[in-house]
Coordinates of all heavy atoms in Angstrom, one line a residue:
S155 N 10.4 8.2 12.4 CA 9.1 8.7 12.0 C 8.7 8.2 10.7 O 9.4 8.4 9.7 CB 9.0 10.2 12.1 OG 7.7 10.6 11.6
L156 N 7.5 7.6 10.6 CA 7.0 7.1 9.3 C 6.8 8.3 8.4 O 6.8 8.1 7.1 CB 5.6 6.4 9.5 CG 5.7 5.0 10.1 CD1 4.3 4.4 10.4 CD2 6.5 4.0 9.2
N157 N 6.5 9.5 8.9 CA 6.3 10.6 8.0 C 7.5 11.0 7.2 O 7.3 11.6 6.2 CB 5.8 11.8 8.9 CG 5.2 12.9 8.1 OD1 4.3 12.7 7.3 ND2 5.7 14.1 8.3
G158 N 8.6 10.5 7.6 CA 9.9 10.9 6.9 C 10.2 9.9 5.8 O 11.2 10.1 5.1
G159 N 9.4 8.9 5.5 CA 9.7 8.0 4.4 C 8.4 7.5 3.8 O 7.3 7.9 4.1
A160 N 8.6 6.5 2.9 CA 7.5 5.8 2.3 C 7.1 4.6 3.1 O 7.9 4.0 3.8 CB 7.9 5.3 0.9
K161 N 5.8 4.3 3.2 CA 5.3 3.2 3.9 C 4.2 2.6 3.1 O 3.5 3.2 2.4 CB 4.8 3.6 5.3 CG 3.9 4.9 5.4 CD 4.8 6.2 5.4 CE 3.9 7.4 5.4 NZ 4.7 8.6 5.1
A162 N 4.1 1.3 3.3 CA 3.2 0.5 2.4 C 2.7 -0.7 3.0 O 3.2 -1.2 4.0 CB 4.0 0.2 1.1
W163 N 1.7 -1.3 2.4 CA 1.1 -2.6 2.7 C 1.3 -3.5 1.5 O 1.0 -3.1 0.4 CB -0.3 -2.5 3.1 CG -0.6 -1.8 4.4 CD1 -0.9 -0.5 4.6 CD2 -0.6 -2.4 5.7 NE1 -1.1 -0.3 6.0 CE2 -0.9 -1.5 6.7 CE3 -0.3 -3.7 6.2 CZ2 -0.9 -1.7 8.0 CZ3 -0.3 -4.0 7.5 CH2 -0.7 -3.0 8.5
F164 N 1.8 -4.7 1.8 CA 1.9 -5.7 0.8 C 1.1 -7.0 1.3 O 0.8 -7.0 2.5 CB 3.3 -6.1 0.5 CG 4.1 -5.1 -0.3 CD1 4.6 -3.9 0.4 CD2 4.3 -5.2 -1.7 CE1 5.3 -3.0 -0.3 CE2 5.0 -4.2 -2.4 CZ 5.5 -3.1 -1.7
R165 N 0.9 -7.9 0.5 CA 0.2 -9.1 0.9 C 0.7 -10.3 0.1 O 1.1 -10.2 -1.0 CB -1.3 -9.1 0.9 CG -1.9 -9.0 -0.6 CD -3.4 -8.8 -0.5 NE -4.0 -8.7 -1.8 CZ -5.3 -8.5 -2.0 NH1 -6.1 -8.2 -1.0 NH2 -5.8 -8.4 -3.3
R166 N 0.7 -11.5 0.7 CA 1.0 -12.7 0.0 C -0.1 -13.7 0.2 O -0.3 -14.2 1.4 CB 2.4 -13.3 0.5 CG 2.8 -14.5 -0.3 CD 4.0 -15.2 0.3 NE 5.2 -14.3 0.5 CZ 6.1 -14.1 -0.4 NH1 6.0 -14.7 -1.6 NH2 7.1 -13.3 -0.2
A167 N -0.8 -14.1 -0.8 CA -1.9 -15.1 -0.7 C -1.2 -16.5 -0.9 O -0.1 -16.6 -1.4 CB -2.9 -14.8 -1.8
P168 N -1.9 -17.5 -0.4 CA -1.4 -18.9 -0.5 C -1.0 -19.2 -2.0 O -1.9 -19.1 -2.9 CB -2.5 -19.7 0.0 CG -3.3 -18.8 0.9 CD -3.2 -17.5 0.3
G169 N 0.2 -19.7 -2.2 CA 0.6 -20.1 -3.5 C 0.9 -19.0 -4.5 O 1.1 -19.2 -5.7
K170 N 0.9 -17.7 -4.0 CA 1.1 -16.6 -4.9 C 2.3 -15.8 -4.5 O 2.7 -15.9 -3.3 CB -0.2 -15.7 -5.0 CG -1.4 -16.4 -5.6 CD -2.5 -15.5 -5.8 CE -3.7 -16.1 -6.5 NZ -4.8 -15.2 -6.7
D171 N 2.8 -14.9 -5.4 CA 3.8 -14.0 -5.0 C 3.3 -12.9 -4.2 O 2.1 -12.5 -4.2 CB 4.5 -13.4 -6.3 CG 5.2 -14.5 -7.1 OD1 5.7 -15.5 -6.5 OD2 5.3 -14.3 -8.3
R172 N 4.2 -12.2 -3.5 CA 3.8 -11.0 -2.7 C 3.4 -9.9 -3.7 O 4.0 -9.7 -4.7 CB 5.0 -10.6 -1.9 CG 4.7 -9.4 -1.0 CD 5.9 -9.1 0.0 NE 7.1 -8.9 -0.7 CZ 8.3 -8.9 -0.1 NH1 8.4 -9.1 1.2 NH2 9.4 -8.7 -0.9
E173 N 2.3 -9.2 -3.3 CA 1.8 -8.2 -4.2 C 1.6 -6.9 -3.4 O 1.3 -6.9 -2.2 CB 0.5 -8.6 -4.9 CG -0.7 -8.8 -3.9 CD -2.0 -9.0 -4.7 OE1 -2.0 -8.9 -5.9 OE2 -3.0 -9.3 -4.0
F174 N 1.7 -5.8 -4.1 CA 1.5 -4.5 -3.5 C 0.0 -4.3 -3.3 O -0.8 -4.7 -4.1 CB 2.0 -3.4 -4.5 CG 1.6 -2.0 -4.2 CD1 2.3 -1.4 -3.2 CD2 0.6 -1.4 -4.9 CE1 1.9 -0.1 -2.8 CE2 0.3 -0.1 -4.6 CZ 0.9 0.6 -3.6
V175 N -0.3 -3.6 -2.1 CA -1.7 -3.3 -1.8 C -1.9 -1.8 -1.8 O -2.7 -1.2 -2.5 CB -2.0 -3.8 -0.4 CG1 -3.4 -3.4 0.0 CG2 -1.9 -5.4 -0.4
A176 N -1.1 -1.0 -1.0 CA -1.3 0.4 -0.9 C -0.1 1.0 -0.3 O 0.7 0.4 0.5 CB -2.5 0.8 -0.1
A177 N 0.2 2.3 -0.6 CA 1.3 3.0 0.0 C 1.1 4.5 0.1 O 0.2 5.0 -0.5 CB 2.6 2.8 -0.9
S178 N 1.8 5.1 1.0 CA 1.8 6.5 1.2 C 3.3 7.0 1.2 O 4.1 6.4 1.8 CB 1.2 6.9 2.6 OG 1.3 8.3 2.8
T179 N 3.5 8.0 0.4 CA 4.9 8.5 0.2 C 5.3 9.4 1.4 O 4.5 9.7 2.2 CB 5.1 9.2 -1.1 OG1 4.2 10.3 -1.2 CG2 4.8 8.2 -2.3
R180 N 6.5 9.9 1.3 CA 7.1 10.7 2.4 C 6.2 12.0 2.6 O 5.8 12.6 1.6 CB 8.5 11.1 2.0 CG 9.2 12.0 3.1 CD 10.7 12.2 2.8 NE 10.8 12.9 1.5 CZ 11.4 12.4 0.4 NH1 11.9 11.2 0.5 NH2 11.5 13.1 -0.7
G181 N 5.9 12.2 3.8 CA 5.0 13.4 4.1 C 3.6 13.2 3.7 O 2.8 14.1 3.8
G182 N 3.2 12.0 3.2 CA 1.8 11.7 2.8 C 1.5 12.5 1.5 O 0.3 12.6 1.3
R183 N 2.5 12.9 0.7 CA 2.2 13.7 -0.4 C 1.4 12.9 -1.5 O 0.6 13.4 -2.3 CB 3.4 14.2 -1.0 CG 4.0 15.4 -0.2 CD 5.1 16.1 -1.0 NE 6.3 15.3 -1.1 CZ 7.3 15.4 -0.2 NH1 7.2 16.2 0.9 NH2 8.4 14.7 -0.3
R184 N 1.6 11.6 -1.5 CA 0.9 10.8 -2.6 C 0.5 9.4 -2.0 O 1.3 8.8 -1.2 CB 1.9 10.6 -3.8 CG 1.2 9.8 -4.9 CD 2.1 10.0 -6.2 NE 3.4 9.4 -6.1 CZ 3.8 8.3 -6.8 NH1 2.9 7.7 -7.6 NH2 5.0 7.9 -6.7
V185 N -0.7 9.0 -2.3 CA -1.2 7.7 -1.9 C -1.5 6.9 -3.1 O -2.2 7.4 -4.0 CB -2.4 7.9 -1.0 CG1 -3.0 6.5 -0.7 CG2 -2.1 8.6 0.3
V186 N -1.1 5.7 -3.2 CA -1.3 4.8 -4.3 C -2.0 3.5 -3.8 O -1.7 3.0 -2.7 CB -0.1 4.5 -5.1 CG1 0.5 5.8 -5.8 CG2 1.0 3.9 -4.2
D187 N -2.9 3.0 -4.6 CA -3.6 1.8 -4.3 C -3.5 0.8 -5.5 O -3.6 1.3 -6.6 CB -5.1 2.0 -4.0 CG -5.3 3.0 -2.9 OD1 -4.6 2.9 -1.9 OD2 -6.1 3.9 -3.0
A188 N -3.5 -0.4 -5.2 CA -3.5 -1.4 -6.2 C -4.9 -1.5 -6.8 O -5.9 -1.3 -6.1 CB -3.1 -2.8 -5.7
D189 N -5.1 -1.8 -8.0 CA -6.4 -1.9 -8.7 C -7.3 -2.9 -7.9 O -8.5 -2.6 -7.8 CB -6.3 -2.3 -10.1 CG -5.7 -1.2 -11.0 OD1 -5.7 0.0 -10.5 OD2 -5.2 -1.5 -12.1
A190 N -6.8 -4.0 -7.4 CA -7.6 -5.0 -6.8 C -8.3 -4.5 -5.5 O -9.3 -5.1 -5.1 CB -6.7 -6.2 -6.5
V191 N -7.7 -3.4 -4.9 CA -8.3 -3.0 -3.6 C -8.8 -1.5 -3.7 O -9.4 -1.0 -2.8 CB -7.3 -3.0 -2.5 CG1 -6.7 -4.4 -2.4 CG2 -6.2 -2.0 -2.7
K192 N -8.7 -0.9 -4.9 CA -9.1 0.4 -5.1 C -10.6 0.6 -4.7 O -11.5 -0.2 -5.2 CB -8.9 0.9 -6.5 CG -8.8 2.4 -6.7 CD -8.4 2.8 -8.1 CE -7.0 2.3 -8.4 NZ -5.9 3.1 -7.6
G193 N -10.9 1.6 -3.9 CA -12.3 1.8 -3.5 C -12.7 1.0 -2.3 O -13.8 1.3 -1.8
R194 N -11.9 0.0 -1.9 CA -12.3 -0.8 -0.8 C -11.4 -0.6 0.4 O -11.8 -0.7 1.5 CB -12.4 -2.3 -1.2 CG -13.4 -2.6 -2.3 CD -13.5 -4.1 -2.4 NE -12.2 -4.7 -2.8 CZ -11.6 -5.7 -2.2 NH1 -12.1 -6.2 -1.1 NH2 -10.4 -6.2 -2.6
F195 N -10.1 -0.5 0.1 CA -9.1 -0.3 1.1 C -8.6 1.1 1.2 O -8.4 1.8 0.2 CB -7.9 -1.2 0.8 CG -8.1 -2.7 0.9 CD1 -9.4 -3.2 1.1 CD2 -7.0 -3.6 0.9 CE1 -9.6 -4.6 1.2 CE2 -7.2 -5.0 1.0 CZ -8.5 -5.5 1.1
T196 N -8.3 1.5 2.4 CA -7.8 2.9 2.7 C -6.6 2.9 3.6 O -6.7 2.3 4.7 CB -8.9 3.8 3.3 OG1 -10.1 3.8 2.4 CG2 -8.4 5.2 3.4
I197 N -5.5 3.5 3.2 CA -4.4 3.6 4.0 C -4.4 5.0 4.8 O -4.8 6.0 4.2 CB -3.1 3.5 3.2 CG1 -1.9 3.3 4.1 CG2 -2.9 4.6 2.2 CD1 -0.6 3.0 3.3
S198 N -4.0 4.9 6.0 CA -3.9 6.2 6.8 C -2.8 6.1 7.8 O -2.3 5.1 8.1 CB -5.3 6.4 7.5 OG -5.5 5.5 8.5
I199 N -2.3 7.3 8.2 CA -1.2 7.4 9.1 C -1.5 8.3 10.2 O -2.1 9.4 10.1 CB 0.0 8.1 8.3 CG1 0.2 7.5 6.9 CG2 1.3 8.0 9.2 CD1 0.6 6.0 6.9

């Protein structure tokens, strides 16, 4: 179950390193977003 752990989205743009996008911690207690997507991207479970 995803609810029992941390889950996240990352992305890799052409020619760039993989970067963090958004994550939700165990039980959905905390959601974090990268500054580049804050206010535009939403993670849900």
Side-chain angles (χ1 to χ4, degrees):
S155 172
L156 287 175
N157 195 48
K161 45 277 180 192
W163 290 96
F164 289 79
R165 66 185 182 185
R166 187 191 300 273
K170 296 186 178 181
D171 293 332
R172 183 172 56 193
E173 66 172 353
F174 169 74
V175 175
S178 175
T179 60
R180 184 174 57 246
R183 284 194 288 270
R184 184 163 67 109
V185 174
V186 293
D187 304 314
D189 288 343
V191 305
K192 200 175 294 291
R194 298 189 300 124
F195 291 11
T196 303
I197 190 173
S198 64
I199 314 296

